[in-house]
Amino acid sequence: YPYPETTNSWNNPRKFAFVSPEEFEYSARIQSVRDRLKGNNKEIWITETGWATNAVPDSKVDPDDGKTHIITGVTDAEQAAYIVQLYTWALATKAVDRIFLYEFMNNCDDQTLTWSESAHGNNWGLIHNWNNSDGQPMAYSAKLGYVSVCAFSSKLSGASYKTTLNLGSGVSAYQFTKSDGSFITVIWTDGSVKNATATGSGKITVSDMYGNATAYNGGTAALTLSEAPIYIESASSTLSIS
C-alpha cells in the first residue's frame, strides 16, 4: 500500500500519508521482486493496493508498539489520478501481470468522512456505501475513482504500448497504438502544473481523466498538465509537446 511512514521516532506518533505511484517507487519495488526471482518466468500480481479517501486523519493506538498511528487519506480526485497513473505504467511497462484494487465499495455506513477510528479503513472504495441516510452520498453512487477507471478502460481497451515520450523532468508520457490504428498518449506530471502545446497532423482530441473530450481540428492543442492524467488521441504517432 502506497503510504510510506514519514515519522517513526521513539517519542513521536507514527505518521503515514498516501503518495503517488512514482513517489512510492512502484517501479523500483517491482524490479526488486523481479531481481529476487532471478529470471524465473513467473507472473507478478499486485493482489491488493489502493488509496483511502478519509478526509480527516485516522488515529488509533497500535497494540503491538503502543504508538499512535495517524493515517491521512487522499482526496477523491487524487485517488482517481493515482489509479490511472498506476494502471498506465503497468500497461506500458508490462512490469506486473495483474492489479487488484482494494476495494470496490466503501465499507463504512458513515460516509461523512468525519473523524472516527474506522475512517481510514472504510473509505478505499470506488463507489459509496449502500447507506445514504442523514444526507450522506447516494447509495452505490460513483466516486471519482470509479469514473477515471471507466475512462481508462474505455480509452486503452485493446491498445498496445508503443513508446515513452521524453518530456523532461517531472512529466510522464506513454504512447499506445489503438486497435483501429490510431494513437493515444497518456500524460501527467509529478504534481506541478505545466502549460504545454501538442502539435500533430490532423485532428487532435484531448480528454481529461474522466473522459471529457475536446477536439482540436487545426493540429494544435493547448494543454494544462498536472498529476491528473490526460489522454491525447490522434491519427498519427507524430506528436510533439512543448
Side-chain angles (χ1 to χ4, degrees):
Y1 282 98
Y3 48 87
E5 190 171 339
T6 57
T7 302
N8 189 21
S9 62
W10 184 256
N11 295 318
N12 290 329
R14 300 176 66 181
K15 297 181 181 179
F16 301 85
F18 286 86
V19 295
S20 70
E22 183 176 0
E23 290 177 282
F24 190 58
E25 299 180 326
Y26 251 113
S27 181
R29 292 170 188 267
I30 296 300
Q31 186 57 51
S32 175
V33 173
R34 290 198 175 277
D35 292 343
R36 290 173 182 269
L37 291 175
K38 297 179 179 179
N40 291 331
N41 187 24
K42 301 291 186 181
E43 288 193 354
I44 294 180
W45 292 17
I46 299 176
T47 56
E48 198 172 302
T49 192
W51 286 266
T53 59
N54 55 304
V56 177
D58 187 4
S59 178
K60 62 187 296 185
V61 176
D62 188 327
D64 294 329
D65 61 17
K67 292 185 177 182
T68 300
H69 290 202
I70 300 172
I71 304 178
T72 303
V74 298
T75 66
D76 278 18
E78 287 172 330
Q79 181 196 51
Y82 296 161
I83 292 172
V84 173
Q85 290 179 18
L86 178 62
Y87 271 59
T88 302
W89 163 79
L91 188 63
T93 63
K94 296 182 173 61
V96 294
D97 298 277
R98 298 285 189 276
I99 299 175
F100 298 83
L101 288 178
Y102 182 83
E103 61 188 330
F104 180 63
M105 184 177 70
N106 280 358
N107 283 334
C108 63
D109 297 346
D110 178 7
Q111 300 180 74
T112 60
L113 304 188
T114 55
W115 185 92
S116 71
E117 185 174 335
S118 60
H120 153 253
N122 287 336
N123 288 286
W124 297 79
L126 296 181
I127 67 172
H128 291 109
N129 193 263
W130 54 268
N131 179 25
N132 68 339
S133 61
D134 300 322
Q136 296 184 65
M138 182 180 296
Y140 308 114
S141 60
K143 294 167 65 177
L144 296 179
Y146 180 87
V147 182
S148 72
V149 168
C150 288
F152 173 86
S153 299
S154 175
K155 295 290 187 184
L156 276 300
S157 178
S160 57
Y161 171 70
K162 183 178 185 297
T163 189
T164 299
L165 303 181
N166 182 5
L167 301 180
S169 176
V171 181
S172 299
Y174 298 99
Q175 189 175 73
F176 300 84
T177 304
K178 299 185 71 173
S179 56
D180 62 0
S182 63
F183 299 87
I184 183 167
T185 303
V186 190
I187 305 177
W188 66 87
T189 73
D190 57 4
S192 58
V193 177
K194 302 176 183 289
N195 294 319
T197 301
T199 303
S201 58
K203 185 175 76 171
I204 297 174
T205 300
V206 179
S207 303
D208 64 17
M209 66 176 173
Y210 308 118
N212 300 305
T214 301
Y216 298 84
N217 295 315
T220 300
L223 309 175
T224 300
L225 306 180
S226 69
E227 69 176 0
I230 63 171
Y231 303 94
I232 302 176
E233 298 173 80
S234 62
S236 171
S237 63
T238 302
L239 182 69
S240 63
I241 300 173
S242 58

